[in-house]
Amino acid sequence: MIEISHLSKRYGQLLAVDDISFRVEPGQVLGFLGPNGAGKSTTMKMIAGFLAPSAGTISVAGHDIQAEPLAAKRLIGYLPEGAPAWGEMTPRQFLGFIADIRGLDGALRARRIAEVVERLNLQRVLDQSIETLSKGFKRRVGLAQAILHDPQVLILDEPTDGLDPNQKHEVRSLIQAMAKDKIIVISTHILEEVHAVCTRAIVIAGGRLLADATPAELERRSRFHGAVSLSCADTPALVAALRALDEVAQVEVDPQDGRVTAFPKAGKPLFPAVSALIRDRGFAVDELALESGRLDEVFRQITLPVHKEGVRR
Amino acid sequence: MRSPVISLFRRELAGYFATPVAYVFILIFLILAAAMAFYLGGFFERGQADLGAFFTFHPWLYLFLVPAVSMRLWAEERKSGTIELLLTLPVTMGQAVLGKFLAAWAFIAIALALTFPVWITVNYLGSPDNGAILAGYIGSLLMAGAFLAIGSCLSAATRNQVIAFILTVVVCFLLLLAGYPLVLDAFSGWAPQALVDGIASLSFLTHFNAISKGVIDLRDLVYFGLMIAAWLYACAIVVEMKKAD
């Protein structure tokens, strides 16, 4: 378990992290969301034991990161932002070094290295110096390093940044596969990622914790939640018919693709009414979808006020 | 379980030889060491079977070559972000500082050991006091260690390697000559005599010359040991302060 209480970090005048508290239990994949400069990386650096908090405490499986840094660091696998690694080393040497430092030896050392190499598909580049590798491979070498000792706690700062869609998919599958009994914290500003891998999301902006919920709960905050989108050849007639429905609060037409979105009145299920309308009036609908909510919209709604407020502290 | 210092040491030392820089450095060191001994020091003309002419120039050689090794020690880690990786591994700050320092020192020791043909030459030509020569090597290595400790501290203070290099050269130069008028005159006019004496006793050259003459005095060893320990301690503090910048 990770327990963070009243964590703050101040750089001179700037309060980068402002009194954040939360806890993460094994089995959870926690997504850290926030605009650039929100304090995500700073928080992760403090959990990983790189930066000392200005105030507050962090405990990793009962070990306070300040009081017992080594015990805590042994339990943590950390991928720093940008996946730094010593460029002149090959992935084989690099992983060997990490294994030595982590105290893995003998058969276990060989097995773990073979396992992560296999999992992250590093076989092809094992003996090529890291500085000559592509961004995707560098990121995977960084991930391999983080999971090498099969840590209880994984802190991954933007694990899929700079990867192509296939690689992103692989990394997400990897995270999901490991999630069962571990604590995983990832930071990202890719919202689809939260949906794909996280069981819980924390939104940070301006150093403050603004929301802590499951992705589905966040989506429910969206005005799109429960809305119905559809497209039809005869848009004006459809819009008029939708507006006449009792359950509809508002109808919008996307000026670009002509997609119609009907928003429900609070608490009223809209989809059955719309589908009945289509059936009864015989609209030729090409497409019909129930919206679960749009995370990007919720994200803006949560973080924009803080952004506008600026650095007034 | 092996100490992390050893793992760090091995990684660092292998790192030197992973690039051509190490070989270029060793080559230049050997050429300059030999050139200074034979041309400036008049190795043959002296007609003495010792390595005095060889060791005399080591402080000046180190003044430029050691900062070239030390400048990247921490500056590079900070610039490339690997410092974050290093310091989130289960190692203490002391282990990290020591592992990196020892690897750099071992690298210089390898370069120094490769000057053995000079030793063979002098043994071939005459019958030198090999104990004195060994003392000279020890003194030379201690001197390099002290320079390196200074360099590693100053390398931690900046992420710009050129600045680290220049700062290290200046500080080493001042400490080299601390016992000479160039430095002492700046203090003798106003400072109490005790302070002037104190500064004079910090001089690298005084202690180095004592050892390289073949006299290993415990005080000189303690001096270099303390010098290295103090600068490494300062290095650990500076890394801790500056790591997040």
Side-chain angles (χ1 to χ4, degrees), chain A residues 73-79 86 89-120 122 126 139-156 174 178 182, chain B residues 85 89-90:
Chain A
K73 284 172 183 176
R74 277 191 196 104
L75 301 174
I76 300 177
Y78 177 47
L79 173 70
W86 293 281
M89 297 181 105
T90 65
R92 189 192 299 280
Q93 294 166 335
F94 180 61
L95 294 175
F97 165 70
I98 299 288
D100 289 344
I101 283 271
R102 295 272 185 198
L104 300 174
D105 36 37
L108 179 66
R109 180 182 191 272
R111 204 187 70 217
R112 285 302 304 163
I113 291 179
E115 234 172 87
V116 297
V117 164
E118 162 89 39
R119 253 187 149 157
L120 290 150
L122 294 174
L126 263 186
R139 185 69 40 142
R140 282 191 268 167
V141 169
L143 274 165
Q145 164 275 126
I147 63 172
L148 185 63
H149 57 301
D150 195 18
Q152 276 182 41
V153 176
L154 257 183
I155 313 283
L156 308 174
L174 178 76
M178 291 186 306
K182 287 191 202 313
Chain B
L85 184 62
L89 290 170

Side-chain angles (χ1 to χ4, degrees), chain B residues 25-160:
Chain B
F25 175 87
I26 289 179
L27 197 66
I28 289 177
F29 175 80
L30 294 178
I31 290 171
L32 287 180
M36 284 175 159
F38 289 113
Y39 293 100
L40 296 178
F43 182 77
F44 292 116
E45 292 81 353
R46 281 157 53 105
Q48 288 174 342
D50 66 21
L51 289 182
F54 172 66
F55 288 123
T56 312
F57 294 102
H58 280 198
W60 306 105
L61 200 52
Y62 289 148
L63 183 59
F64 291 98
L65 290 181
V66 170
V69 172
S70 68
M71 66 181 186
R72 50 168 289 283
L73 270 178
W74 289 99
E76 175 75 20
E77 301 269 357
R78 275 176 59 197
K79 196 171 167 207
S80 67
T82 44
I83 189 166
E84 195 172 339
L85 184 62
L86 178 65
L87 297 180
T88 50
L89 290 170
V91 298
T92 64
M93 182 63 81
Q95 289 166 339
V97 168
L98 196 61
K100 286 178 80 70
F101 166 76
L102 288 178
W105 204 10
F107 173 65
I108 305 264
I110 290 169
L112 185 61
L114 288 174
T115 60
F116 69 91
V118 180
W119 172 70
I120 292 175
T121 308
V122 79
N123 268 281
Y124 176 75
L125 294 175
S127 47
D129 177 355
N130 279 321
I133 290 178
L134 181 65
Y137 271 109
I138 290 173
S140 177
L141 192 58
L142 285 172
M143 174 112 194
F147 277 25
L148 263 181
I150 294 169
S152 92
C153 179
L154 295 174
S155 166
T158 170
R159 67 172 69 200
N160 185 322

Side-chain angles (χ1 to χ4, degrees), chain A residues 26 55 57 112 120 134-135 144 152 154 196 210 216 225 230 268 274 297 305:
Chain A
T57 56
R112 285 302 304 163
L120 290 150
S134 69
K135 204 170 172 184
Q152 276 182 41
L154 257 183
L210 299 177
H225 177 67
L230 55 171
K268 292 203 173 166
V274 173
E297 193 228 339

Side-chain angles (χ1 to χ4, degrees), chain A residues 152-300:
Chain A
Q152 276 182 41
V153 176
L154 257 183
I155 313 283
L156 308 174
D157 200 347
E158 300 194 348
T160 59
D161 184 41
L163 300 186
D164 68 35
N166 292 335
Q167 295 166 336
K168 277 184 187 163
H169 179 76
E170 280 167 33
V171 169
R172 285 173 195 161
S173 319
L174 178 76
I175 293 173
Q176 276 162 338
M178 291 186 306
K180 206 166 23 154
D181 45 358
K182 287 191 202 313
I183 294 170
I184 302 183
V185 181
I186 68 169
S187 77
T188 180
H189 40 232
I190 309 168
L191 294 162
E192 55 179 271
E193 197 149 291
V194 177
H195 210 90
V197 296
C198 299
T199 58
R200 182 177 159 200
I202 279 185
V203 182
I204 303 182
R208 269 171 291 164
L209 196 155
L210 299 177
D212 181 352
T214 65
E217 280 163 1
L218 282 182
E219 282 173 348
R220 238 170 274 147
R221 297 189 190 184
S222 163
R223 67 191 191 101
F224 282 91
H225 177 67
V228 178
S229 296
L230 55 171
S231 51
C232 169
D234 189 7
T235 306
L238 179 67
V239 170
L242 284 170
R243 286 220 166 102
L245 278 179
D246 209 19
E247 290 85 351
V248 170
Q250 198 191 343
V251 179
E252 279 178 14
V253 181
D254 189 312
Q256 265 164 22
D257 55 8
R259 225 172 128 92
V260 178
T261 305
F263 295 92
K265 283 187 180 143
K268 292 203 173 166
L270 183 57
F271 195 81
V274 173
S275 88
L277 175 81
I278 293 167
R279 202 175 47 236
D280 298 347
R281 299 274 300 269
F283 282 114
V285 170
D286 306 324
E287 199 193 344
L288 174 66
L290 173 66
E291 301 258 358
S292 58
R294 295 187 185 171
L295 271 181
D296 56 343
E297 193 228 339
V298 177
F299 179 79
R300 270 200 305 279

